[in-house]
Amino acid sequence: SGSDLNAISGTDRNHIWAVGAKGAVVRWDGAFWDSQDSGTDHDLLGVWAADTDNVWAVGTTGTIVKWDGKAWATQSSGTLFDLRGIWGTRADRVWAVGAAGTIVSWNGATWEVQNSGTVSGLRGVWGLDENNVWAVGQNEMILKWNGKMWTPQTRSYPLDLRAVWGVDATHIWAAAETVVGGTIVGWNGLSWDLQLNSPTTNLHGVWAADTSRIWVVGERGAILRQAP
């Protein structure tokens, strides 16, 4: 596309979307990457695919665009704040998070603003199911959705949290920035604990296949993997 790409998501090895600056969207069909018209020129910062006919991308000034299997169309998010992260359990249960504590939820028909209880910028969101969702962000912010409301979780470190991922209710990881580098914190079902300090590299993304295969990425091409 020639544009900076900010996020990637897919449903299988033949259906993958990457999104980026000025509304850039490219799709992998198993053989080639093709550019798609997103219908917006706003920067896209996050993407999540429920299935091949339900893909959402979010971005600056509350931008949300949806792929329906044939074309991208703009949706009303109900906010003008930048949206940076998106995740869902299925095509009618999706959350997007962003600046100033913004959280919006898709119910299959409309996006509704939810009360996060914070004005800290949120950057990442991930969950197990519709009653267990975590959002992370600036100023040490970790929020949990219990199916009815968002509540803050206790944290012990001054972090700028950038991303969150997990594999079950007792194994969740968040990647973070600090004033002296990057940090990984992990949820064990009871508390968030420091797992790694990377004094020279800020960390921006995390993904896990299972409890023993976890990858974290960050500045200057950094890729970290949990030691076996």
Side-chain angles (χ1 to χ4, degrees):
S1 72
S3 300
D4 291 344
L5 297 173
N6 298 319
I8 188 170
S9 181
T11 60
D12 56 58
R13 63 184 181 179
N14 296 324
H15 299 88
I16 304 170
W17 289 263
V19 303
K22 297 181 179 179
V25 176
V26 291
R27 179 182 63 174
W28 175 256
D29 63 5
F32 302 100
W33 287 97
D34 293 319
S35 180
Q36 293 186 320
D37 181 3
S38 68
T40 183
D41 59 3
H42 291 289
D43 291 347
L44 297 175
L45 306 174
V47 60
W48 181 74
D51 53 54
T52 58
D53 295 333
N54 290 279
V55 185
W56 287 266
V58 299
T60 55
T61 65
T63 297
I64 299 180
V65 291
K66 182 182 182 295
W67 172 257
D68 66 1
K70 297 180 180 179
W72 289 91
T74 302
Q75 293 186 323
S76 175
S77 67
T79 182
L80 292 177
F81 287 110
D82 293 353
L83 297 171
R84 296 185 172 276
I86 183 168
W87 179 88
T89 59
R90 56 180 190 261
D92 62 352
R93 207 71 179 102
V94 187
W95 291 265
V97 303
T102 300
I103 300 178
V104 294
S105 176
W106 173 255
N107 60 17
T110 60
W111 288 94
E112 298 176 342
V113 176
Q114 293 186 328
N115 180 16
S116 69
T118 182
V119 294
S120 294
L122 299 173
R123 293 179 175 272
V125 57
W126 177 87
L128 293 171
D129 53 49
E130 62 188 51
N131 296 320
N132 292 277
V133 185
W134 287 261
V136 301
Q138 297 171 317
N139 302 321
E140 313 170 46
M141 186 54 58
I142 301 175
L143 301 174
K144 184 178 184 295
W145 172 257
N146 64 7
K148 296 181 179 179
M149 62 185 298
W150 291 93
T151 56
Q153 289 196 315
T154 302
R155 56 273 182 195
S156 304
Y157 306 96
L159 306 174
D160 179 6
L161 296 156
R162 301 294 296 267
V164 60
W165 197 268
V167 295
D168 58 42
T170 59
H171 296 88
I172 303 170
W173 300 270
E177 292 183 359
T178 70
V179 294
V180 293
T183 296
I184 301 169
V185 293
W187 172 254
N188 59 18
L190 297 174
S191 63
W192 288 92
D193 298 317
L194 181 67
Q195 294 192 348
L196 176 71
N197 268 326
S198 177
T200 60
T201 304
N202 286 322
L203 301 175
H204 294 166
V206 58
W207 184 84
D210 53 44
T211 58
S212 62
R213 290 179 292 179
I214 309 151
W215 288 265
V216 181
V217 298
E219 291 180 342
R220 294 183 293 277
I223 301 177
L224 307 178
R225 181 183 174 183
Q226 184 187 42

